[in-house]
Every structure is written in structure tokens, then in C-alpha cells.
Amino acid sequence: MVGELKTIKFTYTGKVELEETLKNKIMHNWLEIKKKTDLYRDGKILVVSNLIKNDDDYELELKETTFSHFMYVRRFKNQDIKSLFSGAYIVTSDNHVGIVLNNMYKGNTFEILNLIGGMAEVEDIENGKYLSEKCLIREVKEELGFDLKDYNYSFELKYLKYPSENENPIGYAIGTIFEIKTKYTKKQIEDIFQNSKHDNEIKNLVFFSKENHKDVYNFEHRKEYIPELLEKVFEDL
């Protein structure tokens, strides 16, 4: 589900402790993945070990682990590991809301409607404090080629994606969701994206307006929370 944020606090509590037997299972699974694709790289990521909610106030306890550990849990769902990401949508000067079509690879190539953004990494911690905005700035630069430090953009943390009582918390991705506002129009943003240097994770930008945002349901593949998020966004526009 997607909840509006009043305040949020992050507490970094160190590394996830893994037994030797589990480490071996994780490595075996990782080697199987690498035989099938070279799209992934292992590295140090942050996961949510505990989430405390009090109305619209949230506290997230974070731990450090590896991407290979996350992939193992995602496959076998035998540990309560929740990945953490920073995501965003773009609001243009002519009131269009932009998200993206990700290129996905699971046997066959397909596209999935998603937010801009990516997983939190250990490098997003400074002086023992996790900075979700640092993660966002890096991911937007990598995926779209946009520099959020440019005066034509501003951003604000607006929502938190977290599991509801009806959702399986094992392997769930928890996300801080930012609203990026730009002085550019929809057409200008599309042109900037097409002419910028970025990775191949994003196929295209997809824009919605108040008049057509229900079209989100026409996408065969979409992250499950995207329609709920768009409803909240357009309530405020």
C-alpha cells in the first residue's frame, strides 16, 4: 500500500548476520543466476529489518546485506528481508505526471510500468545516517540522465510504499516515493530523455493527466501499487 508521509526516521543498525550454511546457499543461487544473465551485479544494499508506524509518522530500521542475499530471499521467500528503494514520479510544468516503462528480463523480454528509481545502497549512508535523497539523485541520473541538482528540478518526499495486512511481507520492497517537479513541459522532458546519456533499464517515459490517468489499468505489466499512487497524486494536483 501507499501511505502519505508526515515524518520519517531511518536508523542504521549494522550488517545482517548470516550463518555459514546460508552463505553457501546464497552463493550457489547467485552462481545459477549469473549463468542465465549478466544483467545483475552483486553489491552492498540496505534492507528494512523493522518498520514502526504511528499514524503518518514512520521509523525504518535498516541493515546492510548483499544483493545476492536479496535475490536468494526473493526466490525462496524463507527470510523476512525487505528491500529498500527510492522512487519518484515527475510533475511537469503543464501538469502531466511521468513514470517509466522498465525493460524486464524473465525468460522473455517485456516492459513493466514502474517508478523512476532503484535500490538503496550502503553508499547512501553518510555519518551513520541513511539519505534517501542521495539514492534518488543517483538513480535518476543513471536511468534518465537528469541532474536533480539542476535548478530546473525540485523534489520532495511524499509517500511510503509498505506492506498492508493483506500483503506478504517476506521479500517485500519498501520504498520512499518522491515527487519531482520540473520547470520543463512534458514535450521538453521527453526530448531531454531521448537526448541524454543513461543506462538501458528504461525503455520510455509514460505520462498521465487528470483526464487519462485511468489508462494505467490498460498496461498488462505494472507494479501493483502504481494505480493507487496515481490516484493519490491526482487528488492533490
Side-chain angles (χ1 to χ4, degrees):
M1 66 180 295
V2 176
E4 295 190 31
L5 279 173
K6 182 179 178 182
T7 65
I8 188 166
K9 177 183 176 182
F10 302 99
T11 304
Y12 175 63
T13 59
K15 295 182 179 181
V16 174
E17 297 296 330
L18 300 173
E19 295 181 356
E20 203 62 36
T21 301
L22 181 54
K23 288 181 182 179
N24 292 334
K25 290 180 179 179
I26 291 169
M27 182 54 63
H28 179 74
N29 183 65
W30 183 246
L31 292 175
E32 286 186 359
I33 292 172
K34 296 299 288 182
K35 287 178 182 178
K36 297 175 182 178
T37 178
D38 60 356
L39 292 172
Y40 300 125
R41 64 175 180 83
D42 202 5
K44 296 177 181 179
I45 65 169
L46 296 174
V47 295
V48 180
S49 56
N50 192 27
L51 186 154
I52 302 167
K53 180 180 183 299
N54 183 16
D55 294 326
D56 294 334
D57 299 313
Y58 299 84
E59 181 176 353
L60 274 63
E61 295 178 3
L62 309 181
K63 283 187 176 294
E64 173 189 331
T65 190
T66 61
F67 183 70
S68 55
H69 181 205
F70 161 74
M71 293 295 282
Y72 175 83
V73 173
R74 189 167 75 168
R75 178 181 177 184
F76 295 102
K77 300 188 184 304
N78 55 0
Q79 286 182 284
D80 190 6
I81 294 292
K82 303 177 185 67
S83 62
L84 178 65
F85 70 88
S86 278
Y89 56 91
I90 297 177
V91 180
T92 64
S93 61
D94 49 352
N95 285 328
H96 286 84
V97 174
I99 51 180
V100 296
L101 272 179
N102 277 129
N103 288 315
M104 298 293 288
Y105 306 87
K106 291 183 179 178
N108 296 311
T109 302
F110 67 94
E111 300 157 5
I112 185 167
L113 197 65
N114 199 1
L115 292 181
I116 309 150
M119 298 180 74
E121 300 180 3
V122 172
E123 66 182 75
D124 299 320
I125 295 177
E126 290 186 6
N127 299 318
K129 182 180 179 181
Y130 170 66
L131 304 177
S132 56
E133 64 273 18
K134 184 177 179 181
C135 176
L136 177 75
I137 291 169
R138 179 187 67 251
E139 293 295 332
V140 170
K141 184 69 174 177
E142 289 178 1
E143 294 186 352
L144 300 183
F146 300 173
D147 185 358
L148 292 186
K149 297 177 182 178
D150 186 299
Y151 71 93
N152 287 299
Y153 303 95
S154 62
F155 56 90
E156 179 184 2
L157 182 53
K158 299 276 287 188
Y159 305 101
L160 184 72
K161 173 189 172 282
Y162 63 96
S164 68
E165 293 180 356
N166 299 322
E167 293 175 295
N168 185 358
I170 305 298
Y172 192 93
I174 292 178
T176 51
I177 301 176
F178 289 81
E179 178 177 272
I180 300 171
K181 288 188 175 179
T182 180
K183 297 179 182 179
Y184 295 119
T185 64
K186 169 181 174 288
K187 178 64 168 59
Q188 288 173 319
I189 283 291
E190 288 174 325
D191 291 342
I192 293 170
F193 172 69
Q194 292 299 329
N195 294 305
S196 67
K197 292 182 179 179
H198 49 78
D199 60 29
N200 63 355
E201 187 174 340
I202 305 302
K203 181 177 178 62
N204 213 345
L205 286 162
V206 180
F207 287 92
F208 297 92
S209 65
K210 277 194 173 182
E211 292 71 31
N212 76 353
H213 73 275
K214 298 290 186 182
D215 289 350
V216 66
Y217 293 100
N218 297 333
F219 286 81
E220 179 182 2
H221 301 293
R222 63 177 186 266
K223 291 294 185 179
E224 78 287 345
Y225 63 93
I226 293 295
E228 178 187 1
L229 174 63
L230 287 182
E231 293 288 351
K232 291 180 179 293
V233 170
F234 281 105
E235 282 178 7
D236 295 334
L237 283 184

